[in-house]
Amino acid sequence: MALQIGVIADDFTGATDIAGFLVEGGLRTAQLNGVPTNPLPDVDAIVISLKSRSIAPADAVAQSLAAHRALHDAGAERIIFKYCSTFDSTPEGNIGPVTDALMHATGADITVVSPALPVNGRTVYNGYLFVNGVPLDESGMRNHPVTPMTDASLVRLMEGQSEGKAAVIPVTVIDRGADAIRAALAQLREQGIRYAVTDTLTAEHLTAIGEATSELPLVTGGSGIGGGLARVLTGTDAAGTSAANDWVPLEGRAVVFSGSASEMTNKQVAAYREVAPSLAVDVDRLLTEAAADETAYRDEVRTWVLEQPASPAPLVYATADPDTVRGLQQRYGVDTTSATIEGLFAWLATELRDAGVTRFIVAGGETSGIVTTSLGVEGFHIGPQIAPGVPWVRSLDGTLDLALKSGNFGDVDFFSRAQATKTAEESR
């Protein structure tokens, strides 16, 4: 069967996010971590997850083009460049340069900028991105420690980091359906516009945009546009279909890691601390010992996790408020702080796996990426969604279950909800 969609995602959680929506849209989907070197699986859609959101633009472009070559060689009929539903890219960021490179590679002369995910409160109106009804630059994303979003205009954001001009296809056109959207795209193409920002308020809007862009060689945006395109290709209605209803979690212990500093993850950590054993990472001690090449603190953290009851799963978190994060970054440097915290989670993941932990619930794109890499997971089978955009996934070798959550996704009780499905042993 032809590979109908190839996705290039700029982080791990974003990849699982869109993979979940593709499955719910009816497409058999595999997710691969990094640019594949082996033959690709025979599925309807393949998602390649990169860790390119916050690296140097030239490196992000090179990785994305390598991913495109792999998908092109596998016969992908269309490409989606997937980034976060809150755009997560400053003027120095990568969305514009990667989009331009992929447009050149695919021969596209126009594409859409469609980050909206209404089911998670991400909407676009008059070209401005909103988070739960609040303009992006007035939401918690304004204080993001890596990509602070200080503008809600997708036109300005896109033009500030790319080669061409952007324009809006307004909701009055989107409401009229796919034919009207196609006509608007044709008109913008004649005007020399390269990036069409699509107003999006509902799942039905995403389906209409998906239908209108189904023949474009490249579309860009969040997981919503992937779901909309999948529904069009399979004829599934806007409500989607249930995915992996027979999913049974693996036997073994679970652990929760949280490295995200997002506003929602802070709330999720606070809620989970009320019902489960939790340990805040002593970042000052971690960084001091790391500089001295000492490991006593890491060993203490591992021992603490294994001493806790199996249920509810223990939580280890480096999640903190923006002021605390900025203070650490000022004392130790942004890169050193991030790399050392990620290094702890990477080491801890492998140690706990070797001690019998089979289920990892991870909050934060960077943390999810480093944990997945450290565990040697090359790809996933996609399971049911815990929350919109966050499915359970199982390693291709069937030994590990992971829930990889973008910082702002999920309800306050996400960590508990992720553990609600009982294993076969727990059900007896």
Side-chain angles (χ1 to χ4, degrees):
M1 181 176 292
L3 180 60
Q4 297 188 56
I5 296 178
V7 180
I8 301 166
D10 67 357
D11 80 340
F12 283 88
T13 54
T16 56
D17 172 9
I18 194 168
F21 279 102
L22 293 173
V23 168
E24 289 214 332
L27 295 177
R28 297 175 304 128
T29 303
Q31 178 181 332
L32 306 177
N33 297 329
V35 178
T37 56
N38 298 319
L40 302 188
D42 180 18
V43 289
D44 303 318
I46 290 176
V47 181
I48 296 178
S49 57
L50 304 176
K51 192 180 178 185
S52 59
R53 179 171 298 173
S54 303
I55 63 176
D59 293 336
V61 167
Q63 291 184 24
S64 301
L65 288 176
H68 172 260
R69 283 193 293 273
L71 293 168
H72 177 269
D73 291 346
E77 296 179 352
R78 53 190 65 77
I79 299 294
I80 300 175
F81 170 37
K82 196 276 174 194
Y83 43 81
C84 190
S85 61
T86 48
F87 204 76
D88 285 22
S89 188
T90 65
E92 296 76 31
N94 297 339
I95 291 177
V98 170
T99 298
D100 286 333
L102 291 175
M103 290 183 73
H104 179 74
T106 60
D109 56 4
I110 192 169
T111 189
V112 293
V113 176
S114 187
L117 185 58
V119 70
N120 273 355
R122 278 63 165 166
T123 54
V124 178
Y125 181 67
N126 284 342
Y128 288 82
L129 183 54
F130 290 80
V131 178
N132 295 320
V134 176
L136 178 66
D137 57 330
E138 297 178 20
S139 73
M141 287 302 298
R142 184 175 184 85
N143 299 313
H144 193 283
V146 179
T147 53
M149 301 309 299
T150 58
D151 194 348
S153 168
L154 290 169
V155 170
R156 287 194 295 265
L157 287 168
M158 197 66 193
E159 289 185 346
Q161 55 182 266
S162 59
E163 298 174 354
K165 292 293 184 180
V168 178
I169 300 180
V171 70
T172 52
V173 173
I174 304 294
D175 276 336
R176 286 164 33 214
D179 287 341
I181 298 169
R182 287 193 194 94
L185 284 167
Q187 190 173 51
L188 292 177
R189 181 185 285 111
E190 291 176 359
Q191 297 170 7
I193 299 297
R194 285 171 60 83
Y195 324 107
V197 176
T198 54
D199 277 1
T200 313
L201 302 178
T202 66
E204 289 73 22
H205 285 164
L206 287 171
T207 301
I209 295 166
E211 182 178 353
T213 60
S214 61
E215 300 305 318
L216 292 182
L218 173 72
V219 300
T220 85
S223 57
I225 187 62
L229 188 52
R231 289 193 294 270
V232 169
L233 295 175
T234 62
T236 305
D237 65 25
T241 60
S242 59
N245 287 331
D246 58 350
W247 178 272
V248 177
L250 293 174
E251 308 292 354
R253 294 189 54 153
V255 68
V256 182
F257 291 162
S258 181
S260 169
S262 74
E263 184 175 357
M264 176 52 75
T265 303
N266 270 279
K267 293 177 181 178
Q268 290 163 340
V269 166
Y272 195 65
R273 288 176 59 196
E274 297 294 322
V275 299
S278 60
L279 179 68
V281 175
D282 186 338
V283 180
D284 285 303
R285 184 177 169 192
L286 176 66
L287 286 160
T288 301
E289 287 196 2
D293 199 25
E294 297 175 358
T295 63
Y297 180 65
R298 294 194 314 183
D299 293 337
E300 289 178 19
V301 175
R302 174 189 56 194
T303 300
W304 178 88
V305 172
L306 294 175
E307 288 178 345
Q308 303 311 307
S311 182
L315 163 69
V316 180
Y317 66 98
T319 296
D321 62 83
D323 289 339
T324 300
V325 173
R326 279 192 291 268
L328 290 167
Q329 292 173 339
Q330 289 169 1
R331 288 198 296 277
Y332 301 104
V334 174
D335 293 340
T336 298
T337 301
S338 297
T340 305
I341 293 172
E342 288 180 9
L344 169 67
F345 284 121
W347 176 85
L348 191 58
T350 59
E351 291 288 312
L352 295 178
R353 176 201 58 199
D354 293 345
V357 172
T358 60
R359 289 174 285 159
F360 291 83
I361 301 164
V362 188
E366 297 297 317
T367 308
S368 295
I370 196 67
V371 165
T372 304
T373 300
S374 69
L375 291 171
V377 177
E378 297 182 352
F380 304 117
H381 300 293
I382 309 302
Q385 296 212 50
I386 305 162
V390 193
W392 271 110
V393 298
R394 180 161 295 157
S395 59
L396 293 177
D397 65 5
T399 63
L400 295 171
D401 284 352
L402 301 100
L404 307 174
K405 186 192 84 70
S406 292
N408 286 302
F409 279 20
D411 295 327
V412 171
D413 64 347
F414 175 84
F415 296 138
S416 295
R417 182 175 296 182
Q419 300 170 63
T421 302
K422 296 183 180 296
T423 66
E425 182 177 290
E426 290 169 335
S427 299
R428 288 196 289 268

